Amino acid sequence: DATGVRLRNVGGGEVSAALDAVAEVSVVNCNGTCRGLDAGAATELEVRRCTAIRARSGDGSAVAIDLAGSNSAGVAATIEENGAIYAESAAIDAVAIRLSRAAGVRIAGNATIGNAYTGGTGRLAAGIADGLLLRDGTVTPGGSTRVTIADNAVITGGGGTLRCTNPGDTGEGVDVAAGVLLVGTRQAEVTGNGQPLNDLNGVYGGITTDSWDPATRALPPAAVGLWLVDASGALVEGNELRAGVVTHGNSCPAPTVVPAAVAVRDGLPPNPAFGGAELGPRQASIGAVFDRNGASCARPPNTGGVGFGRPNTCVALELCAAPAPVDALTLVVNNVLAATKGDRVIGYAQHGGHAIVLANNLIDVDYLPGLAEPPIADGVLKKRAVQLSEIGANSLQLINNILYVHADGDADDLGDRWCLWEANSAGNESRLRALEHNLFFIEGALGSGTDYVRVEGQLVVLTYDDTELNDVAGVDTIGHNLAALPGLREGVAEWEKSAARLVAGSAAIDAGKAIGGGVPTHDIDGEIRPNGGGVDIGHDELH
């Protein structure tokens, strides 16, 4: 084991320390557990304006800054305005900043936290982690409280790829490659990260591989920008959140299920193949608020090589929760959820869940290929602005959202383009609580008889075209939905999606439901709504 700076309470009382403008704390090429800075039992720590803090382990865990508390008081720390903070491990865990039982931690204004494409092939590669998830479904809470992660330019999960070049190689990469992983965290604020908006800044998922056996692993390999599990009172506001990469080596075993790359995930995804049943409770967060974020697929979810053409999925926001009414209200408001990479693109996905309001968002499905993106064959690009499976009865309210599915030429699967797709194996109608004042649009399909909504029940499949959006069977409250061109000013790159704004003359202007009941009093820019005769549909209130 090796540690660069180690703090220990050996005589009782409080221990406080400060690192200010240190050029570098570096522990590299060691074996075992390697830490740049180990706060140990310190009660207060400040790390400011340091150029670099890094740790690299050959066969153990690497942690650049370890804030794991050893008592109920936890470790209070300020990690602020530093340059690069990163960790690499070829074996177990690689975490740039690790929390556990910490209290009152502020991580703010740092340039880079975590590694982009390197860092680990074991259990966890993360920029910031509070707690741990294992492939067998074991959830280990971090249990930290009052955590602030604010105004950092880049936070990224690491990871690595195994190319299956040697006999016996399975191709399995790191289990979880997350920019930020918060498990059992209380009162977390994740705000303003990835700003100002450009093609580099953001909270990114890392990189892992798609080679896995669903029957032996409860948790699929995961490349997630921000992942909350069993958190309480989390505020996620004003961030740029981006999915990572799930890649494949050409000589690796072909998986039966290709995991999705996800920009934002709350709870544990289902895996019916594990032990013949889904992994127990979804452990979704309680009382989470997702407000004014941009979530997108900035990297190709599969970089298996040009021409390889493996199916690959990217999801902007995924909520996973138990169908029973046990969750406090979750609000998803004023966000741009942009699915822009892969050949299965989903803006918002929900598995199970109860008491969720999705209001005044732009859910934008638009394939925008990158340089490393494998080419997509004709007729295979599947799109779903909203995808729901086994949601709880009357569990989700869709209010004032723009559900926008772009056209992408011959690549589109014309039979699998949906603004709203819902599957419910226990009934034959929708389980939505509310579907009100939403604007639906499939580019090039308006007035053509193309179906916009699909509900797959136990015995029947119900579909609805753009003239039937207020007739979806089973919805508790429905009305004032319309199909029209959204009227948006959009950029040409995926990272510009969250800068999209309404233009004068848009059908969304003044067409929304009034504020209250989950409809927010502000828009993505923090401007007051309504402005004019009524609330505008979507994330932006035209001023």
Side-chain angles (χ1 to χ4, degrees), residues 35 46 78 162 177 189 191 257 278 290 348 351 436 439 480:
R35 297 182 179 92
E46 295 182 2
T78 299
L162 297 180
E189 293 188 2
T191 62
V257 177
E278 290 191 7
F290 300 89
Y348 173 84
H351 312 284
E436 300 180 274
L439 189 153
H480 304 286

Side-chain angles (χ1 to χ4, degrees), residues 100-101 130-132 139-144 183-185 230 283:
S100 180
R101 306 182 307 281
D130 185 31
L132 182 65
V139 176
T140 303
S144 296
V183 184
T185 310
D230 193 28
Q283 302 209 39

Side-chain angles (χ1 to χ4, degrees), residues 28-263:
V28 299
N29 299 328
C30 69
N31 293 319
T33 299
C34 304
R35 297 182 179 92
L37 169 62
D38 181 8
T43 52
E44 187 173 355
L45 173 68
E46 295 182 2
V47 181
R48 287 193 170 97
R49 295 177 288 273
C50 296
T51 302
I53 301 176
R54 60 177 179 157
R56 180 187 300 148
S57 175
D59 62 3
S61 294
V63 183
I65 300 178
D66 198 343
L67 301 178
S70 61
N71 53 51
S72 59
V75 178
T78 299
I79 314 296
E80 197 168 57
E81 299 178 9
N82 299 284
I85 304 171
Y86 61 92
E88 296 179 55
S89 170
I92 304 178
D93 301 332
V95 181
I97 301 177
R98 180 167 68 181
L99 313 176
S100 180
R101 306 182 307 281
V105 171
R106 177 176 172 80
I107 304 169
N110 300 284
T112 303
I113 301 173
N115 287 12
Y117 289 105
T118 61
T121 56
R123 302 182 306 181
L124 173 64
I128 300 171
D130 185 31
L132 182 65
L133 303 176
L134 299 182
R135 61 173 60 192
D136 65 359
T138 300
V139 176
T140 303
S144 296
T145 60
R146 305 189 311 280
V147 175
T148 299
I149 303 170
D151 303 320
N152 301 284
V154 178
I155 305 175
T156 180
T161 59
L162 297 180
R163 292 296 185 183
C164 307
T165 56
N166 302 310
D169 287 347
T170 64
E172 292 197 47
V174 65
D175 293 341
V176 175
V180 176
L181 174 66
L182 300 178
V183 184
T185 310
R186 302 293 180 259
Q187 299 174 351
E189 293 188 2
V190 182
T191 62
N193 298 286
Q195 303 296 333
L197 178 65
N198 60 43
D199 60 336
L200 297 177
N201 289 350
V203 180
Y204 290 89
I207 183 169
T208 186
T209 56
D210 66 4
S211 296
W212 70 301
D213 183 353
T216 62
R217 292 181 51 162
L219 189 68
V224 181
L226 169 66
W227 195 348
L228 306 180
V229 179
D230 193 28
S232 177
L235 172 64
V236 181
E237 182 179 77
N239 305 280
E240 190 68 20
L241 307 164
R242 299 175 177 178
V245 178
V246 180
T247 190
H248 186 90
N250 288 342
S251 58
C252 292
T256 56
V257 177
V258 178
V262 181

